[in-house]
Amino acid sequence: MEFSGVKRRKPWLIGDQRKASYPHSLQFYLQPPSENISLIEFENLAIDRLKLLKSVENLGVSYVKGTELYQSKLEAEIRRLKFSYRESLEDEYEPRRKDHISHFILRLAYCQSEDLRRWFIQQEMDLLRFRFSILPKDKIQSFLQDSHLHFEAISEEEKNLREQEIIASSTSLGGPKLELEYVYKIPFADALDLFRGRKVYLENGFAYVPLKDIVAIILNEFRAKLSKALALTARSLPAVQSDERLQPLLNHLSHSYIGQDYSIQGNAGKISLDQIDSLSTKSFPPCMRQLHKALRENHHLRHGGRMQYGLFLKGIGLTLEQALQFWKQEFIKGKMDPDKFDKGYSYNIRHSFGKEGKRTDYTPFSCLKIILTNPPSQGDYHGCPFRHSDPELLKQKLQSYKITPGGISQILDLVKGTHYQVACQKYFEMTHNSRDPDLDNRRLLTACPVLGMYALPTMPTVGTIFKDIVLREQCVVETAWMVYMTGRRDLESSLEDGGTEAS
Amino acid sequence: MEPFDPAELPELLKLYYRRLFPYAQYYRWLNYGGVVKNYFQHREFSFTLKDDIYIRYQSFNNQSDLEKEMQKMNPYKIDIGAVYSHRPNQHNTVKLGAFQAQEKELVFDIDMTDYDDVRRCCSSADICSKCWTLMTMAIRIIDRALKEDFGFKHRLWVYSGRRGVHCWVCDESVRKLSSAVRSGIVEYLSLVKGGQDVKKKVHLSENVHPFVRKSISIIKKYFEGYALVGQDILENKESWDKILALVPETMHNDLQQNFQKHHSSLQRWEYLKKAASQCPSNIKNEKCGPWLEWEIMLQYCFPRLDINVSKGINHLLKSPFSVHPKTGRISVPIDLQKVDQFDPFAVPTISSICHELDAIFTSEAEKEENQAESDIKHRTRDYKKTSLAPYVKVFEQFLENLDKSRKGELLKKSDLQKDF
């Protein structure tokens, strides 16, 4: 048995035993830690990890994930805070232990609400993705095994039978070099992010996944497990919180990041219906502007459009009565029978205000949701114009909105690079004469980015939402930028995992 | 066939629900062998009655209860929903949040109106034998994928009664799938993307996934007959301009000129194929080769699914053997072995089968002496004497397969538990 010569605050395990307890530089956090630690260490570990996760978030917003720049910056940050990341380094025990314990401490703080959980899971996933991406190939198998992920590799013969199909399906395979790759056979439902974008070969209910694509699946597994674990943690939280030593710390941790809540209470009744037409051209994002125009022209909108636009109107302050009046007036112009409106449409409007059914007070759709789900088809006007419009038609639209040619080409470039929300921000800047904000080290907000971005300059009534933030941050436009950059980061990671183009 | 008059529906439905609706088979389906307790009792049905009165959260204790209620309420439309955690007709007594949809078949709805931008013969609710091929192709493509790619065994395809088809996937594991996986399946099956704003709706990458390749093979079998002859998509300048919108601008002049020289869509299509595969590879960002040809074929022929129908576990869909109130046609199962021969205009209407029944009944009643006896005998076999019979047979074959699978599963399970 080796004795480590260096003195530590808490010598716990020695030599080979230490290596055995943390065999890898990354982990799935399946087992909670079981050692005793001091309160001071408890607090320091938690704060360090929180700093790390915030860096993960900021870097993900400032740089495209997976690029060299992103990776080198993230690695530097992890090293600075003394967390584990690489397999091959000497004496990884302390950083790995720190990683393990601090994760579980933050679970206590971040299990408490849907928003907190979502944020925590997102950052942990980004962190895991990075660490997995720098794991050497020969270590991957053993890592999977140690993490109890039962992915079975198929035999050579089975692989050869399907060689053509597997190569044709998996864009990550660089060419006909299948002999060198492991291929795993997984029930199709376990490979959701791969098969939905047709990025994997399916046969008889199984997905044939090459090693390179296993990452997406692993991350999914991780997200599912962590999500469940957080729910369980929340249930046992009262017992933890009753410990007076921990309560103040946990509260402090979860409040240092807590998103602005876009529940609409403070807002209702502050716009009048006759303001909407002018607001739609001056302050609405292009997606809502387009919906409003279509509604006025056709005196009708299909379901997708009614949902997206209706919730937006609610978010900017329309009351239920106003909404009912607004939609009814317009639909009647389209020769709809007022009774038919009452029977068929008013129920749905009341439902979205939380007055029917299970009484959920629905919040407006985020950019992420609009871009990634329910794409428009023939006869629809919802969706995101930057994502869902033909580039040619988008260009014409922007021209009709009087954007400068320079601005238009910038926007189209961003659209080509799938940075839809940045394109929207550009549109915002072009129509509002504001400057580019500086991103680093700002606090980020959650919830409805579309609403946030457009609520500010020309709508003093909705500015009440941002009163606190404005006073603290002292920069209204930058706050708006922050608001939807949260959505952008989610979008980019979803695009990486799921892909957008048909194949 | 007897002409259908919607005003006669109340009378026709009365007869239909008393003598023709195949209750036994219907119950056999939704009961799924009685393996799971209360599976049928927790199933939601919705009825649309006369004057558009819509009632949700209907549920029934057993086949006889279902029969009685349907005969009493005489619904114009019947929809099937999910299997819930509690009896739907008692959902108001359940604690808030506890009443949840738990399982449902995976369903697909393919509607002809979604193809209005690519069919020249009809639009909106109209269909004809020319555009019906779109449904034939859709069924072949989707069914192949559900069977071969996803391994789904129990797929029931049903004519919706007017302008489309539905598919019910009833495998046990499939009924339990989450909303996310259902959405994923629809995404996997989707290739045509975009609304009014988008001209070119299909974009293939260089790597062509086996699903796409196999779908194209299927379309190729129908393309000439359907698109080049039936729809005549390159007939004149107006129609071929639409195709040119899908093709790189650099090719337009050449194609316009040569299209003038040719005399039929067939010839023009041959020319387009040649031109597409020959175009020089130094055109930036434009693909040439077979991809272009495939993208056009797919935009004109590939199935268009409504994701909202498939992803929600609690979504309500028109029931098989329901009547379409506007056309009078019965929503009948489609025989997959004879998909190419399926003719929506030959599907019996409620008036035609009631008429058939009347004709038989009057002639038979003259022979029967005991009225009550004849009534019961009639009830159990009446549909067999009408044109509904072959469609019920298709349904029964489907039920046989479900039974066989179930027996197989039970055997496996009891083997594992060493039950003898």
Side-chain angles (χ1 to χ4, degrees):
Chain A
M1 194 183 286
E2 275 175 60
F3 285 88
S4 108
V6 181
K7 285 206 168 43
R8 284 174 213 289
R9 254 185 330 183
K10 290 221 166 298
W12 185 238
L13 296 174
I14 316 167
D16 287 340
Q17 281 185 324
R18 289 150 57 99
K19 260 209 187 127
S21 56
Y22 295 117
H24 301 283
S25 60
L26 74 173
Q27 59 164 295
F28 279 133
Y29 311 106
L30 298 170
Q31 287 298 335
S34 53
E35 41 175 294
N36 296 328
I37 62 175
S38 68
L39 274 180
I40 297 176
E41 187 173 16
F42 187 92
E43 179 158 4
N44 288 335
L45 287 178
I47 290 177
D48 275 352
R49 193 178 192 86
L50 187 55
K51 284 193 188 145
L52 176 62
L53 293 185
K54 289 215 174 168
S55 297
V56 168
E57 180 179 35
N58 280 331
L59 288 172
V61 159
S62 318
Y63 305 97
V64 179
K65 272 181 265 195
T67 55
E68 265 194 57
L69 196 52
Y70 170 84
Q71 297 203 302
S72 62
K73 291 217 170 219
L74 185 48
E75 181 163 339
E77 196 54 27
I78 299 177
R79 203 167 351 139
R80 184 177 74 87
L81 290 164
K82 302 209 179 53
F83 283 99
S84 59
Y85 58 102
R86 257 188 211 292
E87 289 275 303
S88 46
L89 299 181
E90 293 295 314
D91 200 10
E92 275 275 292
Y93 176 73
E94 273 302 324
R96 292 177 190 184
R97 172 183 168 270
K98 180 171 175 169
D99 183 57
H100 181 215
I101 301 178
S102 60
H103 170 91
F104 276 91
I105 298 174
L106 282 196
R107 277 196 197 182
L108 297 171
Y110 281 83
C111 65
Q112 297 176 56
S113 80
E114 202 44 58
D115 283 340
L116 291 174
R117 286 187 219 181
R118 203 180 309 140
W119 183 87
F120 182 65
I121 292 176
Q122 180 62 53
Q123 312 323 320
E124 289 285 345
M125 276 181 64
D126 283 348
L127 186 57
L128 185 68
R129 186 187 297 119
F130 167 69
R131 285 168 163 165
F132 194 83
S133 70
I134 58 176
L135 198 57
K137 229 207 268 198
D138 50 342
K139 297 278 165 63
I140 293 183
Q141 269 296 136
S142 62
F143 169 64
L144 289 179
Q145 265 170 328
D146 290 343
S147 310
H148 307 293
L149 284 172
H150 302 290
F151 294 148
E152 249 187 69
I154 57 176
S155 66
E156 278 302 310
E157 306 108 71
E158 288 206 59
K159 229 199 303 175
N160 290 333
L161 275 173
R162 301 170 174 86
E163 182 167 345
Q164 287 309 314
E165 275 87 351
I166 298 178
I167 293 176
S169 319
S170 304
T171 49
S172 62
L173 288 174
K177 281 193 246 109
L178 202 56
E179 314 93 57
L180 308 170
E181 293 280 334
Y182 281 114
V183 173
Y184 296 83
K185 183 176 163 183
I186 311 182
F188 79 91
D190 290 344
L192 176 58
D193 279 340
L194 286 179
F195 85 75
R196 70 199 288 192
R198 281 191 302 270
K199 296 212 172 321
V200 71
Y201 172 58
L202 285 190
E203 187 189 296
N204 208 25
F206 287 94
Y208 288 79
V209 188
L211 185 60
K212 286 203 181 90
D213 290 330
I214 281 282
V215 185
I217 299 179
I218 290 175
L219 286 173
N220 243 10
E221 276 281 311
F222 179 69
R223 184 203 285 127
K225 285 206 169 75
L226 186 53
S227 190
K228 251 196 211 150
L230 286 175
L232 281 173
T233 311
R235 282 218 282 257
S236 34
L237 199 57
V240 174
Q241 279 180 325
S242 64
D243 187 327
E244 294 150 1
R245 302 171 295 170
L246 298 180
Q247 196 188 47
L249 172 68
L250 292 176
N251 281 337
H252 173 245
L253 279 176
S254 61
H255 282 102
S256 75
Y257 173 65
I258 189 157
Q260 178 59 28
D261 185 10
Y262 274 89
S263 61
I264 321 286
Q265 313 112 349
N267 210 19
K270 308 257 178 45
I271 327 179
S272 69
L273 292 182
D274 44 11
Q275 283 180 283
I276 295 184
D277 281 319
S278 75
L279 284 175
S280 77
T281 52
K282 282 200 285 198
S283 305
F284 283 7
C287 52
M288 303 303 170
R289 181 174 181 172
Q290 155 181 305
L291 277 165
H292 181 75
K293 181 158 180 274
L295 177 64
R296 287 287 192 227
E297 279 174 11
N298 304 324
H299 310 300
H300 186 268
L301 274 182
R302 280 192 178 181
H303 182 256
R306 295 200 302 272
M307 288 304 291
Q308 186 174 320
Y309 189 40
L311 288 174
F312 174 78
L313 289 174
K314 183 169 90 145
I316 61 175
L318 233 59
T319 63
L320 174 59
E321 288 64 42
Q322 285 177 306
L324 284 168
Q325 195 187 348
F326 174 74
W327 290 98
K328 188 169 183 174
Q329 267 174 359
E330 200 56 50
F331 274 50
I332 287 182
K333 282 192 205 147
K335 310 274 180 356
M336 173 168 298
D337 203 76
D339 285 332
K340 182 164 182 208
F341 178 86
D342 288 331
K343 247 199 261 184
Y345 293 93
S346 60
Y347 175 90
N348 284 324
I349 299 173
R350 286 203 309 281
H351 192 278
S352 63
F353 273 78
K355 301 279 183 255
E356 300 279 357
K358 62 180 175 167
R359 319 250 153 176
T360 319
D361 201 8
Y362 294 94
T363 48
F365 293 168
S366 63
C367 281
L368 197 57
K369 181 165 180 162
I370 293 173
I371 289 171
L372 288 180
T373 63
N374 198 20
S377 323
Q378 231 17 49
D380 285 326
Y381 294 93
H382 63 264
C384 168
F386 299 102
R387 165 76 179 88
H388 297 122
S389 277
D390 223 34
E392 264 313 303
L393 291 163
L394 178 62
K395 184 172 173 184
Q396 287 169 24
K397 219 180 267 187
L398 293 171
Q399 283 167 341
S400 76
Y401 293 161
K402 309 266 194 323
I403 312 280
T404 65
I408 294 183
S409 70
Q410 277 187 323
I411 290 178
L412 291 178
D413 278 341
L414 287 167
V415 166
K416 233 189 208 164
T418 73
H419 306 301
Y420 307 115
Q421 284 166 282
V422 190
C424 195
Q425 167 70 0
K426 249 283 127 4
Y427 165 90
F428 179 77
E429 284 167 28
M430 302 267 120
T431 50
H432 290 84
N433 302 317
S434 41
R435 61 179 171 85
D436 261 358
D438 170 28
L439 296 180
D440 286 338
N441 301 315
R442 298 273 174 178
R443 265 200 275 151
L444 293 167
L445 306 167
T446 57
C448 178
V450 167
L451 198 46
M453 180 159 77
Y454 290 86
L456 302 161
T458 38
M459 298 182 64
T461 53
V462 189
T464 49
I465 295 179
F466 296 92
K467 207 166 43 168
D468 292 345
I469 301 151
V470 168
L471 291 174
R472 278 184 299 199
E473 298 283 352
Q474 293 177 335
C475 177
V476 157
V477 172
E478 284 165 36
T479 308
W481 172 268
M482 290 308 106
V483 165
Y484 79 71
M485 288 311 279
T486 317
R488 174 197 168 188
R489 183 185 21 74
D490 290 341
L491 171 66
E492 299 218 5
S493 73
S494 307
L495 287 177
E496 275 160 32
D497 295 339
T500 49
E501 255 207 8
S503 70
Chain B
M1 215 181 270
E2 193 73 10
F4 169 69
D5 177 9
E8 291 177 13
L9 263 179
E11 281 308 306
L12 293 169
L13 286 171
K14 223 159 78 176
L15 189 57
Y16 181 67
Y17 291 133
R18 222 162 48 81
R19 306 273 294 278
L20 293 163
F21 188 92
Y23 294 103
Q25 293 86 342
Y26 195 69
Y27 178 77
R28 195 173 146 205
W29 170 33
L30 294 173
N31 191 37
Y32 286 101
V35 172
V36 175
K37 196 161 169 249
N38 284 327
Y39 206 70
F40 182 80
Q41 291 74 8
H42 287 187
R43 169 81 68 171
E44 180 192 359
F45 295 85
S46 78
F47 287 168
T48 306
L49 309 180
K50 191 154 178 261
D51 296 327
D52 269 338
I53 300 175
Y54 182 66
I55 325 180
R56 269 194 76 173
Y57 301 113
Q58 299 291 290
S59 58
F60 311 102
N61 292 319
N62 48 39
Q63 178 183 332
S64 140
D65 191 18
L66 172 75
E67 257 182 79
K68 283 205 204 83
E69 285 301 306
M70 279 171 66
Q71 284 160 4
K72 186 168 91 184
M73 304 221 256
N74 227 28
Y76 272 37
K77 271 185 8 168
I78 304 173
D79 290 338
I80 301 178
V83 175
Y84 283 80
S85 51
H86 303 77
R87 284 165 196 256
N89 63 6
Q90 293 173 357
H91 75 287
N92 285 318
T93 66
V94 178
K95 188 174 77 171
L96 204 62
F99 180 67
Q100 298 285 347
Q102 295 182 323
E103 292 190 18
K104 194 174 73 73
E105 295 74 11
L106 172 63
V107 294
F108 297 95
D109 180 352
I110 308 178
D111 191 325
M112 203 70 96
T113 35
D114 291 337
Y115 296 79
D116 278 357
D117 56 318
V118 291
R119 49 174 186 151
R120 301 176 68 205
C121 50
C122 308
S123 69
S124 167
D126 299 324
I127 61 169
C128 70
S129 54
K130 277 201 238 166
C131 50
W132 183 258
T133 315
L134 284 169
M135 294 293 113
T136 311
M137 290 190 281
I139 295 175
R140 283 211 184 275
I141 290 172
I142 302 290
D143 197 68
R144 184 215 66 78
L146 293 175
K147 176 176 169 193
E148 295 175 8
D149 298 359
F150 288 100
F152 298 155
K153 298 193 169 53
H154 304 287
R155 313 167 309 276
L156 180 70
W157 286 88
V158 182
Y159 172 52
S160 73
R162 189 158 64 152
R163 61 188 193 216
V165 294
H166 300 158
C167 178
W168 296 76
V169 185
C170 305
D171 300 35
E172 188 185 336
S173 56
V174 175
R175 286 181 262 136
K176 300 183 163 74
L177 288 177
S178 70
S179 179
V181 174
R182 290 169 203 247
S183 290
I185 295 173
V186 175
E187 268 185 67
Y188 177 88
L189 299 170
S190 299
L191 267 177
V192 181
K193 302 191 176 142
Q196 323 267 36
D197 269 5
V198 177
K199 292 216 208 98
K200 190 163 167 71
K201 299 186 163 82
V202 180
H203 293 91
L204 298 177
S205 61
E206 234 182 281
N207 244 14
V208 174
H209 190 275
F211 165 74
V212 178
R213 187 175 36 83
K214 291 176 191 174
S215 304
I216 292 172
S217 302
I218 293 175
I219 291 177
K220 277 198 174 140
K221 297 195 189 124
Y222 296 89
F223 191 70
E224 188 177 308
Y226 165 71
L228 300 176
V229 177
Q231 293 291 316
D232 213 353
I233 58 177
L234 293 167
E235 179 188 13
N236 51 33
K237 184 157 186 349
E238 193 192 337
S239 60
W240 76 55
D241 273 349
K242 294 208 181 98
I243 310 266
L244 289 183
L246 311 179
V247 148
E249 271 200 54
T250 51
M251 292 173 67
H252 285 194
N253 279 334
D254 177 48
L255 287 173
Q256 293 271 22
Q257 283 176 7
N258 279 282
F259 282 173
Q260 311 274 16
K261 294 192 203 145
H262 291 108
H263 306 293
S264 71
S265 286
L266 256 150
Q267 292 179 340
R268 292 180 192 121
W269 179 249
E270 285 304 313
Y271 184 79
L272 192 154
K273 282 201 288 190
K274 235 192 302 185
S277 57
Q278 280 172 356
C279 77
S281 56
N282 59 11
I283 296 181
K284 246 201 320 169
N285 298 327
E286 314 271 28
K287 292 187 294 288
C288 291
W291 293 276
L292 205 51
E293 172 200 334
W294 293 340
E295 283 165 356
I296 299 173
M297 287 171 72
L298 290 166
Q299 183 153 338
Y300 274 77
C301 303
F302 189 85
R304 299 163 182 216
L305 300 172
D306 183 350
I307 191 171
N308 294 310
V309 169
S310 310
K311 74 177 178 192
I313 297 185
N314 53 6
H315 188 96
L316 291 147
L317 187 65
K318 188 154 188 277
S319 168
F321 297 106
S322 183
V323 181
H324 196 294
K326 297 212 177 78
T327 63
R329 300 225 187 253
I330 314 286
S331 286
V332 291
I334 298 175
D335 187 351
L336 281 175
Q337 312 295 332
K338 302 189 189 139
V339 144
D340 288 334
Q341 292 88 340
F342 182 82
D343 177 9
F345 299 101
V347 169
T349 62
I350 189 175
S351 13
S352 66
I353 52 177
C354 286
H355 184 74
E356 284 169 13
L357 192 68
D358 274 340
I360 301 164
F361 181 57
T362 35
S363 70
E364 278 196 359
E366 283 161 3
K367 302 181 198 159
E368 292 294 339
E369 284 171 341
N370 188 338
Q371 186 62 12
E373 198 185 280
S374 81
D375 238 3
I376 296 169
K377 262 211 282 207
H378 283 140
R379 202 175 316 143
T380 51
R381 288 173 315 197
D382 277 341
Y383 74 84
K384 281 200 186 163
K385 299 170 186 162
T386 67
S387 333
L388 198 56
Y391 299 100
V392 180
K393 220 178 155 88
V394 174
F395 190 50
E396 282 172 345
Q397 185 57 56
F398 167 75
L399 296 173
E400 277 298 315
N401 290 337
L402 268 174
D403 273 347
K404 254 191 258 170
S405 273
R406 233 185 333 261
K407 289 209 180 71
E409 277 305 309
L410 287 173
L411 268 175
K412 254 202 269 176
K413 279 204 193 114
S414 73
D415 275 350
L416 287 172
Q417 291 166 350
K418 305 216 193 308
D419 273 351
F420 286 92

